[in-house]
Amino acid sequence: MAEMSYRTALVTGATSGLGRGLALWLARRGLRVFAAGRRVSQLQALAAEAQAAGATVEPVELDVTATDATLERIRALDGECGGLDLVVANAGVGGVTHAKRLQWERVKAIIDTNVTGAAATLSAVLPQMVERRRGHVVGVSSLAAFRGLAGHGAYSASKAFLATFMESLRVDLSGTGVRVTCIYPGFVKSELTEKNNFPMPFLMETEAAVDRMGNGILRGEGELYFPWQLALPSRLLKVVPNPLFDAAARRFR
């Protein structure tokens, strides 16, 4: 694929963690970055940090679960900036959804953000990118997408949806000039993972994970998995027979 130059980017879920780090990483490399999220004060702090480094980050108040407003806002940004080159659907939430104590409210909250919100974010600008014959859409899935993790059915399923959605987009958009990347992080230090009360093998520092994401995006990689120590067994689990997987999952739980 031909090299692509990036001028503008939108990153959702930019108030903390990977989204915040990636927004700053891209801005420091000369992109005009629209950092989207619900917590405006944290976005403003990010913008100030970027400005101090001579970079440009513009806060965008956005709740991806409000899909009509999300579509309208992203399309408006696309028009205002002369076309978004890069859109990263990073906003995501987690939480326990154990089948023995299943709460629809928790399941719905995960689906609204990780599935509906992500799909709306990517759908908002794809037609314009195809028309311009340039652009790049990125979905941040998870290594949890490969099998249904014990106690986290809604989260695993939501990330599996995004992975499959991105795969279909990649196939459909071949030859259009629009790039598609799906990222599968493992455990990364963030607000999301600090709430976990279970072992997190090969936990990565945020900065190291962001660097891998940023470089993978700019290289135009179709898929990106990290850390390899967790990515390899996670992918192999896909072909493990159900009885073996179920027994292992129960022990981990």
Side-chain angles (χ1 to χ4, degrees):
M1 184 177 289
E3 184 177 349
M4 179 176 167
S5 59
Y6 297 83
R7 301 166 293 110
T8 56
L10 167 74
V11 181
T12 66
T15 56
S16 65
L18 291 176
R20 187 186 195 281
L22 183 61
L24 191 58
W25 192 95
L26 293 168
R28 285 174 170 164
R29 282 153 182 80
L31 279 72
R32 178 187 179 189
V33 178
F34 297 97
R38 294 177 295 180
R39 294 174 287 182
V40 177
S41 62
Q42 290 178 259
L43 296 176
Q44 291 171 337
L46 171 60
E49 184 178 346
Q51 186 177 23
T56 302
V57 169
E58 300 182 28
V60 177
E61 185 175 6
L62 188 71
D63 180 353
V64 298
T65 66
T67 51
D68 289 344
T70 294
L71 289 164
E72 183 178 348
R73 188 73 179 99
I74 295 176
R75 287 168 180 166
L77 286 173
D78 186 69
E80 292 166 9
C81 72
L84 288 164
D85 294 322
L86 174 65
V87 172
V88 183
N90 167 76
V93 295
V96 175
T97 52
H98 198 292
K100 291 180 180 178
R101 303 176 295 278
L102 198 61
Q103 297 176 321
W104 166 241
E105 293 77 13
R106 284 192 176 186
V107 173
K108 183 178 185 300
I110 292 171
I111 292 172
D112 285 348
T113 300
N114 299 6
V115 175
T116 311
T121 298
L122 299 167
S123 301
V125 76
L126 259 181
Q128 298 91 306
M129 286 183 172
V130 171
E131 186 176 341
R132 292 191 292 262
R133 298 193 64 80
R134 60 171 283 115
H136 194 163
V137 289
V138 178
V140 180
S141 180
S142 168
L143 293 179
F146 290 106
R147 296 298 299 243
L149 299 185
H152 292 78
Y155 181 76
S156 289
S158 70
K159 293 303 185 179
F161 165 86
L162 185 56
T164 303
F165 187 58
M166 300 307 295
E167 186 169 53
S168 291
L169 293 184
R170 188 182 73 243
V171 172
D172 288 346
L173 295 171
S174 176
T176 66
V178 179
R179 290 178 170 177
V180 178
T181 298
C182 188
I183 300 176
Y184 300 82
F187 296 113
V188 179
K189 289 184 179 180
S190 67
E191 285 186 11
L192 191 65
T193 55
E194 70 182 12
K195 299 174 184 176
N196 292 343
N197 59 356
F198 52 83
M200 293 183 286
F202 307 106
L203 180 67
M204 291 185 68
E205 295 293 334
T206 304
E207 187 175 344
V210 165
D211 196 56
R212 292 195 187 187
M213 290 172 63
N215 283 309
I217 290 170
L218 296 187
R219 286 194 301 267
E221 295 187 16
E223 294 181 323
L224 181 63
Y225 312 85
F226 59 84
W228 70 265
Q229 298 96 325
L230 191 59
L232 182 59
S234 295
R235 297 176 71 183
L236 289 174
L237 278 177
K238 194 68 178 173
V239 296
V240 170
N242 286 346
L244 292 178
F245 170 77
D246 292 356
R250 282 194 295 269
R251 282 198 298 271
F252 179 79
R253 179 190 62 195

